[in-house]
Amino acid sequence: MKPQDIIAGKTSLWIFGYGSLVWKPDFKYQRSKVGYIQGYKRRFWHGDNFHRGNDELPGRVVTLIEDDDETTWGVAFEVAGSQLEESLKYLNVRETVCGGYMTKMVDFFPEGKDQPPVQALVYIATSDNPLYLGPATSEEIGAQIAMSRGKTGHNLEYLLRLAEFMRSSCPHVEDNHLFSIEATALTMVSYLLAAQ
């Protein structure tokens, strides 16, 4: 789905973030809402050789994997007017060109009573992407994250900020994948610091 196809005939658009967008959207928006999408689980299965890693040691960032029984919590941002085209141009570079993600429209369910779902754009990296790393144990993923750094910063920052978002904005949601990787990465970092 190309940006011009997404905005055709629209005056506003919701964009769902489930990774770094939850704390660092870096585009102007009208408003944001915490909520979830259904039918997907968040996994650290995508490689990053730009923002959070490099070609020799790619970082690990999240993507969505289809799973009918799962939900993924995050933040949706509403963009309107000139923000619509500007945000999609920016995200095309950040998520598609540098990250290898594709776009899809999904139903976003805002948190709270009597909140109707809205259609939202989401960026997903699929297994046919050359940066896709696929499944690994929490220990393997945590160790890779602890060691990786890219142009935007350390991969550990990405992990810790995402975990903090989940604890502060979605305290009722247990994300075992995220929290087990966080525990492993922090243990690895403590060992590395002690070894110095």
Side-chain angles (χ1 to χ4, degrees):
M1 189 179 304
K2 295 180 181 170
Q4 60 268 30
D5 298 332
I6 296 165
I7 61 174
K10 287 187 170 43
T11 57
S12 70
L13 175 71
W14 287 91
I15 299 167
F16 179 68
Y18 57 91
S20 59
L21 286 181
V22 301
W23 77 83
K24 189 180 168 129
D26 280 347
F27 57 85
K28 292 180 180 163
Y29 55 90
Q30 298 290 312
R31 59 188 169 144
S32 64
K33 293 184 177 188
V34 172
Y36 62 91
I37 62 172
Q38 295 177 319
Y40 293 93
K41 59 187 176 186
R42 174 181 22 234
R43 292 293 181 262
F44 277 87
W45 291 1
H46 190 56
D48 185 333
N49 62 357
F50 185 81
H51 295 291
R52 300 294 175 170
N54 56 52
D55 289 333
E56 291 77 40
L57 188 59
R60 279 202 178 243
V61 292
V62 292
T63 188
L64 296 175
I65 306 299
E66 288 188 36
D67 186 329
D68 292 341
D69 299 327
E70 296 285 337
T71 59
T72 296
W73 284 78
V75 179
F77 302 91
E78 184 182 28
V79 293
S82 64
Q83 296 171 342
L84 186 58
E85 191 172 339
E86 289 166 11
S87 63
L88 290 178
K89 273 186 191 174
Y90 168 73
L91 289 170
N92 183 53
V93 172
R94 175 176 164 171
E95 304 294 336
T96 308
V97 175
C98 294
Y101 289 76
M102 60 166 220
T103 57
K104 188 172 185 177
M105 295 300 290
V106 295
D107 286 328
F108 169 74
F109 297 86
E111 186 174 39
K113 293 186 179 195
D114 303 322
Q115 296 282 320
V118 296
Q119 280 277 290
L121 178 73
V122 67
Y123 289 81
I124 301 173
T126 59
S127 60
D128 59 353
N129 182 315
L131 293 172
Y132 185 83
L133 299 175
T137 66
S138 294
E139 292 75 21
E140 292 168 325
I141 294 172
Q144 188 171 352
I145 287 172
M147 303 294 287
S148 298
R149 179 178 191 82
K151 294 185 186 334
T152 305
H154 203 288
N155 202 178
L156 184 63
E157 177 196 21
Y158 178 101
L159 169 65
L160 297 177
R161 286 185 181 254
L162 182 54
E164 175 56 30
F165 162 78
M166 287 301 293
R167 285 192 182 96
S168 64
S169 298
C170 312
H172 56 288
V173 178
E174 184 60 37
D175 190 329
N176 293 325
H177 178 76
L178 171 63
F179 296 137
S180 65
I181 292 169
E182 177 194 32
T184 300
L186 288 173
T187 300
M188 171 70 80
V189 168
S190 68
Y191 285 135
L192 291 172
L193 290 174
Q196 290 184 357

